[in-house]
Amino acid sequence: MNKKIRIIVSSTFLVFIIGCGIDAEDKTKVIQVSETIEDSKAKGVFLAEYKPSREIIKKAWAEIHWLYDTLGNIRILKGKELYIEAQDSIGLCDSWSECMNGDTSNGNRGGVMKYITFALAEEELSKDTLIYYIYGCKKKKCMGELQLVKKK
């Protein structure tokens, strides 16, 4: 009887060592988003905070692309992204005509954090004001201009 218990315990232990298909989430391949501006600053990826001209936008900031490496450290990548947290599902576009046609490539992401992402070029990041056009919400139409003014 004692031998059977040792075999069962040993077998169970081996299954856990070898693995049973339960893995921790792999964060090494997905670009991460900081949850708050303070979090972005603490990670060393923060570039700028923006004040929106519309109440539908809760907060907006720019970060350097980053992800976790295999050791769990933050690895900074090339590229800059604008993150916009909105109160509703919206998209952004560069021109009024794209907005009128509903031609947006961005939207709120699912999950706990809902962000619109917009890739920023170096020249855009150097500007004090970014201008986009908002499409969506419950009306599913062009809602007009959005100005994001860089906070100093």
Side-chain angles (χ1 to χ4, degrees):
M1 178 99 161
N2 196 12
K3 194 173 189 175
K4 286 183 181 179
I5 292 174
R6 279 192 290 175
I7 292 172
I8 290 170
V9 170
S10 299
S11 300
T12 305
F13 181 71
L14 282 174
V15 167
F16 280 108
I17 288 176
I18 295 170
C20 53
I22 300 172
D23 287 329
E25 180 183 353
D26 182 10
K27 294 183 176 182
T28 60
K29 297 177 185 161
V30 179
I31 291 176
Q32 302 294 302
V33 177
S34 302
E35 291 184 36
T36 64
I37 292 168
E38 292 77 20
D39 191 30
S40 178
K41 289 176 181 177
K43 288 182 169 86
V45 294
F46 175 83
L47 295 171
E49 181 180 358
Y50 294 90
K51 181 181 175 197
S53 64
R54 298 288 199 109
E55 287 184 15
I56 194 167
I57 307 299
K58 292 180 181 180
K59 59 184 172 180
W61 77 89
E63 280 187 1
I64 300 169
H65 286 167
W66 63 277
L67 50 78
Y68 291 107
D69 65 15
T70 54
L71 299 174
N73 300 313
I74 292 172
R75 193 171 105 208
I76 294 175
L77 305 172
K78 290 183 180 179
K80 293 147 184 72
E81 199 84 14
L82 176 64
Y83 296 98
I84 300 173
E85 184 181 355
Q87 294 176 358
D88 207 341
S89 181
I90 63 173
L92 293 180
C93 20
D94 290 324
S95 71
W96 179 255
S97 61
E98 286 176 350
C99 189
M100 291 303 287
N101 293 328
D103 185 17
T104 62
S105 58
N106 308 308
N108 285 355
R109 297 198 305 198
V112 177
M113 297 179 297
K114 295 189 177 182
Y115 294 100
I116 299 164
T117 61
F118 217 68
L120 287 178
E122 201 61 50
E123 69 177 47
E124 289 174 301
L125 192 58
S126 66
K127 293 179 182 177
D128 285 338
T129 303
L130 300 174
I131 298 174
Y132 299 108
Y133 297 90
I134 301 174
Y135 178 87
C137 293
K138 293 176 178 92
K139 298 177 183 179
K140 300 293 183 217
K141 67 176 191 173
C142 190
M143 310 248 330
E145 187 176 274
L146 165 69
Q147 287 188 12
L148 298 173
V149 180
K150 193 183 289 187
K151 289 186 175 183
K152 301 215 178 200

